Amino acid sequence: MTAAPAPSPTRDGWGDAAKGILIVLVVFWHVLMKQYLQVDWRLGVPVPGAWGLLGDVVWPFLMPLFLLVSGFYASAAVARPWAAVLRPKVLRFLYLYLLWSLIHAVAMRAFPDFPTLVPRTVTEFVEAVTISPPDTWYLYALALWFVVAKVLRRVSPWLVIGAAAVLTVAVSAGATAIVGNRGSLLADGTFFLLGVHLAPQIRRLLPRVTLPVVLGLVAAYGAAFAAMRLSGTQQVPGVWPAVALLGTAAGLSAAPSTARLRVIGPALVRLGRRSLPVYLLHMPLLAVVDAVATGWLSDARPAVQLVAAVAWPVVLTAVLVAVCLLLARLADRDGARWLFDLPARRTSTAPGPTMRRRLRAPWRLTLAVALLAACTVAGARATAVPGCADDVRTTAATTPGRVSIGGVGDVLLHDVGHRVPVDGGAGHFDAVRSWFTQDLVTGNLEQVIADDTGFDKCGDRADCLSFRSERDAAQYLEGFDLMNLANNHTGDHGPEGYAATADALSEQGIASVGARDQIVCTDIGGTRVAVIGFAPYSGTNRVTDLRHVRQVVAAAAATADVVVVHAHMGAEGPEANVVSGEPESVFGEDRGNVRAFAHAAVDAGADLVLGHGPHSLRGTEWHAGKLIAYSLGNFGGGGVFGAEQATRYGVYLDITLDHDGSFVSGRLRSVTFEHADGRPVPDPSGRAAALVDRFGQRDFPTSAPTIDDAGVLAPPPQART
């Protein structure tokens, strides 16, 4: 005698409400992690950090709860014959998984900056959908776990639950290999089995759960999560699954109470029944928003940023859900149900109204998608960064087919306010000017060169530094070809002072770079070299805005053969010689995560990164075959820099690159200077180069280039093979 199928739970309102809440949380979490936290928030209040913490709290139980609820709904299906499960469940989800993986792969190719993995070739696509499922992995998981649940239907529920617990702990301990997106298929899939086997108990017990029980479970989850994070025990076997299980229980217990809410409950029930289109559509839509809005939010005024930081996650989540539902409705009206379900079996081949209805063009959906595409293209063009212009300055190369570059760190010629040095910087570089023989000699000019503009950022404050030389001091920079102005002192005397500095340099034949989206290019013997300046400040290409870093460097790399990045970044002072890999700050300013910045620049196409700003030397690193100098130190000081001995050292980087930007040779020449006059002089002892080598070996033991006693620089041993 065949057992009667279990009653269908599909009309349990609390179950649909739970799915509605879950899909909102999925969209909300993606909004936070893939768009909101990519914005360069320049606020003095920790609003973005609070949203990020909320995302961390949501994540541990989100997908387990999703699969547990899915298992609850699957309990009726797995009790039916295989024929009733195979097509409507397994084949349907596999079909949708492959279809939407393909749609996502095609759509996401237009958004290279969006933080998600996108297959680029047919081989990568096949690998993605079979080995490491992409963003539509939930469909893949459902198809897999429907089969597993069907096979295990007659196995004792407690045996399955016990095996699920063991597997989950084993996965969290790293004792077993995992197939799936973020390691979720095996660990979270066990919750699907729990939902299948505990469906009768869930259906019986949940409606009886009282509000105090819900609040108690929520409080217990919050306490467990906080204890796990504060103690750092999330890597201990079983801790993470236990916390996720507690959060899942808290979320599931809240579903009946939520479903009974007068307005919100019915809305969530309806949303839960349409959760699949939201799941499938929200990621490409989020990529569109990311391409159009992230840069705008990063550059917005502080007041606008503050409002957006508070409201944006909620507003964008609501908008994405609404647009997904609208597109799904248009697909239904256009007869494009095949986007969300297996195509229906054809019952008749005779022409007639049914055939005509099936073949009609989905014009509403097509029009909506075309409108979204047009908005995306318009937004992308509006925020695009132009590369090198067609007419660039042309010079000869010392060695055909190669480019030699001389780079220094912070340069301060003279300061009117401090009246040092007494000659106004006239002989500042006399002792080292013979080194300036490379095709492109460049440094960071950390001062204004202009006549009095009538504005001084310091006013009457004695503890403030504002650096300015008279306009005729620009001639003393003879030998330099380009100076970076992206730093915290070229704006000391307002926009007029900045513009006057650029003009004064130009009159001496010295180019300057540093404004937002500015790329300065030079043709050196047929090799086009692009230079970009970065700093942590408004009006510049900010080191804190990694999205824009990648965008502007990629724009330069697309139109130049060699890309050189100047970066004023990191903490300051005699002890600021460490690259920690963490965000750095000084004077209340966010000076960026210098390692994350440098790696992002190189990965986007930079061939050389010249760092400055700490006023202390830092190590060098070899990343993806490119040299990163995290701080070249002070190249003299105009009598103001160098108050401490550790800041009285600098290096002159002499590096040669091939036409394609690959490293040929490099050398560090050491300088030192006295605080009194600040003139850089050669240091035969090679002290500065030795410090760079020591700091590099300390901070980058496997990726620091080697520097010998003569200052000759070579890639690390593992990079030479």
Side-chain angles (χ1 to χ4, degrees):
M1 181 175 179
T2 305
S8 172
T10 55
R11 294 300 93 190
D12 288 326
W14 62 263
D16 288 321
K19 288 203 299 180
I21 295 171
L22 284 169
I23 196 62
V24 169
L25 289 178
V26 167
V27 176
F28 171 77
W29 192 85
H30 282 145
V31 165
L32 284 180
M33 298 302 162
K34 295 184 179 292
Q35 195 273 325
Y36 180 82
L37 295 180
Q38 305 296 320
V39 175
D40 184 23
W41 298 108
R42 293 168 287 114
L43 302 169
V45 290
V47 175
W51 281 117
L53 179 61
L54 181 59
D56 289 343
V57 171
V58 166
W59 175 245
F61 70 84
L62 185 58
M63 296 319 298
L65 183 55
F66 226 131
L67 281 157
L68 183 67
V69 172
S70 299
F72 167 79
Y73 275 86
S75 62
V78 297
R80 299 190 181 105
W82 269 105
V85 175
L86 188 60
R87 176 180 169 83
K89 303 299 180 183
V90 179
L91 293 183
R92 178 194 179 208
F93 287 122
L94 284 177
Y95 160 77
L96 291 177
Y97 170 61
L98 292 172
L99 174 65
W100 280 95
S101 293
L102 180 61
I103 292 174
H104 280 205
V106 172
M108 293 297 183
R109 287 179 67 87
F111 307 101
D113 290 331
F114 190 65
T116 190
L117 296 176
V118 180
R120 303 290 180 183
T121 65
V122 174
T123 301
E124 289 179 0
F125 177 78
V126 173
E127 180 180 345
V129 299
T130 55
I131 297 176
S132 182
D135 288 319
T136 50
W137 71 273
Y138 180 61
L139 300 169
Y140 178 85
L142 286 179
L144 171 66
W145 287 105
F146 259 106
V147 174
V148 174
K150 181 67 174 172
V151 171
L152 297 178
R153 187 176 69 87
R154 297 187 181 277
V155 177
S156 168
W158 298 110
L159 181 60
V160 174
I161 293 170
V166 172
L167 281 174
T168 303
V169 172
V171 168
S172 71
T176 182
I178 307 169
V179 175
N181 182 283
R182 302 177 189 87
S184 297
L185 288 189
L186 184 55
D188 289 350
T190 58
F191 284 85
F192 183 90
L193 296 180
L194 292 179
V196 171
H197 284 82
L198 296 179
Q201 292 83 351
I202 292 173
R203 191 178 300 109
R204 183 175 64 252
L205 294 177
L206 271 190
R208 303 176 185 177
V209 173
T210 61
L211 184 60
V213 173
V214 175
L215 296 177
L217 285 171
V218 171
Y221 169 71
F225 178 84
M228 178 186 70
R229 293 299 296 269
L230 293 174
S231 63
T233 57
Q234 56 262 41
Q235 300 301 326
V236 176
V239 171
W240 185 274
V243 173
L245 184 61
L246 187 57
T248 303
L252 194 62
S253 67
S257 300
T258 306
R260 288 192 291 266
L261 295 176
R262 179 169 296 178
V263 177
I264 297 177
L268 288 173
V269 168
R270 288 193 297 272
L271 178 59
R273 293 169 184 168
R274 300 291 289 166
S275 59
L276 182 60
V278 178
Y279 172 73
L280 294 173
L281 290 168
H282 80 276
M283 194 68 77
L285 293 174
L286 182 58
V288 171
V289 174
D290 177 71
V292 174
T294 299
W296 176 80
L297 287 172
S298 295
D299 295 333
R301 297 191 303 272
V304 175
Q305 274 209 334
L306 181 59
V307 173
V310 173
W312 188 254
V314 175
V315 172
L316 182 54
T317 298
V319 169
L320 286 176
V321 170
V323 174
C324 288
L325 293 176
L326 174 61
L327 291 175
R329 181 176 177 81
L330 293 177
D332 284 345
R333 294 186 65 185
D334 282 346
R337 291 181 179 272
W338 54 270
L339 287 170
F340 307 112
D341 204 346
L342 275 173
R345 290 189 179 100
R346 184 181 299 178
T347 57
S348 174
T349 58
T354 302
M355 180 65 71
R356 288 195 297 270
R357 187 164 55 249
R358 184 179 297 141
L359 295 178
R360 67 185 178 186
W363 65 271
R364 298 177 185 85
L365 184 62
T366 302
L367 183 61
V369 172
L371 180 61
L372 285 171
C375 292
T376 304
V377 171
R381 288 182 176 177
T383 59
V385 177
C388 296
D390 293 333
D391 53 336
V392 299
R393 184 173 59 175
T394 301
T395 64
T398 304
T399 303
R402 292 180 173 177
V403 173
S404 59
I405 299 169
V408 303
D410 295 313
V411 172
L412 174 59
L413 277 173
H414 168 70
D415 178 45
V416 171
H418 293 82
R419 297 186 298 278
V420 288
V422 293
D423 64 357
H428 197 68
F429 298 111
D430 285 354
V432 294
R433 188 169 277 113
S434 62
W435 293 351
F436 299 177
T437 60
Q438 292 72 33
D439 300 325
L440 179 69
V441 179
T442 181
N444 175 63
L445 182 64
E446 195 156 10
Q447 67 170 97
V448 172
I449 299 180
D451 296 331
D452 191 353
T453 65
F455 171 81
D456 186 333
K457 73 173 185 182
C458 292
D460 297 328
R461 288 182 295 161
D463 61 344
C464 177
L465 293 175
S466 175
F467 302 137
R468 182 177 69 86
S469 293
E470 299 294 349
R471 189 180 180 91
D472 61 0
Q475 62 186 304
Y476 307 143
L477 291 169
E478 179 188 354
F480 283 98
D481 300 296
L482 183 148
M483 301 302 289
N484 173 63
L485 304 184
N487 56 58
N488 55 324
H489 284 292
T490 51
D492 285 351
H493 294 267
E496 291 183 5
Y498 184 99
T501 302
D503 289 342
L505 293 173
S506 180
E507 290 174 359
Q508 302 300 320
I510 302 172
S512 61
V513 71
R516 180 79 170 177
D517 292 341
Q518 184 183 20
I519 302 172
V520 174
C521 302
T522 306
D523 187 296
I524 301 176
T527 299
R528 184 162 292 191
V529 180
V531 183
I532 317 168
F534 290 87
Y537 307 107
S538 297
T540 69
N541 302 302
R542 292 188 302 277
V543 297
T544 53
D545 187 355
L546 297 188
R547 177 64 57 82
H548 185 255
V549 169
R550 290 187 287 268
Q551 184 182 20
V552 71
V553 172
T559 53
D561 304 303
V562 174
V563 178
V564 179
V565 163
H566 264 289
H568 202 70
M569 57 184 181
E572 291 187 17
E575 305 299 324
N577 58 47
V578 177
V579 178
S580 65
E582 299 295 329
E584 299 182 30
S585 62
V586 68
F587 310 131
E589 298 174 352
D590 180 2
R591 294 287 186 90
N593 181 330
V594 301
R595 191 169 190 179
F597 161 81
H599 285 196
V602 170
D603 294 342
D607 299 295
L608 175 65
V609 177
L610 303 176
H612 34 76
H615 301 297
S616 293
L617 291 164
R618 290 188 173 190
T620 54
E621 184 185 17
W622 202 260
H623 176 69
K626 310 299 180 182
L627 179 67
I628 300 169
Y630 282 99
S631 177
L632 297 171
N634 290 330
F635 202 68
V640 178
F641 287 178
E644 302 88 3
Q645 182 62 45
T647 62
R648 296 176 194 168
Y649 300 107
V651 290
Y652 183 91
L653 173 63
D654 178 356
I655 184 171
T656 299
L657 303 176
D658 251 330
H659 176 81
D660 62 356
S662 57
F663 177 82
V664 176
S665 64
R667 181 184 179 188
L668 295 177
R669 300 175 185 267
S670 300
V671 300
T672 186
F673 62 93
E674 296 300 325
H675 185 216
D677 64 9
R679 301 171 188 266
V681 296
D683 182 4
S685 73
R687 169 73 172 167
L691 286 172
V692 172
D693 183 50
R694 191 177 86 194
F695 297 153
Q697 298 300 327
R698 177 197 64 195
D699 296 341
F700 317 107
T702 62
S703 58
T706 60
I707 303 171
D708 66 15
D709 293 341
V712 176
L713 186 149
Q718 58 269 32
R720 300 174 202 168
T721 57

